[in-house]
Amino acid sequence: EVRMVESGGGVVQPGGSLRLSCETFGVNISTLTMTWARRLPEKGREWVGASDHSGGPTAYGESVRGRATIFRDNAKNTLYLQMTDLQIEDTGLYQCAAADEDATAWAGQGTLVIVSA
């Protein structure tokens, strides 16, 4: 059974930073394309970015570009999302997902980020 478990969410003040983690069990992430997405209260689901297993450049959504860094530690089977300069509109549920070359996909339950003064 494949499980993806996000952590690292919490309450942060505007301008603050967070590092989210996505630990994966049951599959080796070194062969997977990994993504972060978020569910925002007003805008709904929004793609944050993706890390390709082949080592290609990481892609980011327009709303987080320059403030988000996605990286992975294959030895720990964990994907990370570092967010800086967080704003109130970044409040939402952050979820990781993975897909293999056969398009089999998995996703976690998410970790909640609240940006509030």
Side-chain angles (χ1 to χ4, degrees):
E1 178 191 4
V2 175
R3 288 189 301 121
M4 304 183 75
V5 181
E6 300 94 336
S7 62
V11 181
V12 62
Q13 292 187 336
S17 302
L18 278 178
R19 176 179 292 186
L20 308 181
S21 301
C22 172
E23 188 172 11
T24 303
F25 304 89
V27 66
N28 187 343
I29 70 166
S30 66
T31 64
L32 306 178
T33 296
M34 308 285 291
T35 62
W36 282 100
R38 60 187 184 178
R39 196 178 300 277
L40 306 176
E42 306 247 338
K43 293 185 178 180
R45 190 165 180 81
E46 182 176 89
W47 181 75
V48 174
S51 166
D52 183 78
H53 66 86
S54 66
T58 303
Y60 297 97
E62 185 173 348
S63 62
V64 301
R65 196 170 297 138
R67 300 187 297 124
T69 303
I70 294 173
F71 58 101
R72 59 170 80 194
D73 185 335
N74 288 338
K76 294 183 178 180
N77 228 34
T78 300
L79 179 75
Y80 299 94
L81 170 63
Q82 178 80 38
M83 289 282 294
T84 62
D85 192 24
L86 285 160
Q87 302 301 315
I88 291 174
E89 52 266 31
D90 292 314
T91 294
L93 184 69
Y94 286 69
Q95 295 175 288
C96 63
D100 65 15
E101 293 183 343
D102 294 326
T104 302
W106 306 272
Q109 295 296 308
T111 184
L112 185 61
V113 173
I114 298 174
V115 184
S116 175

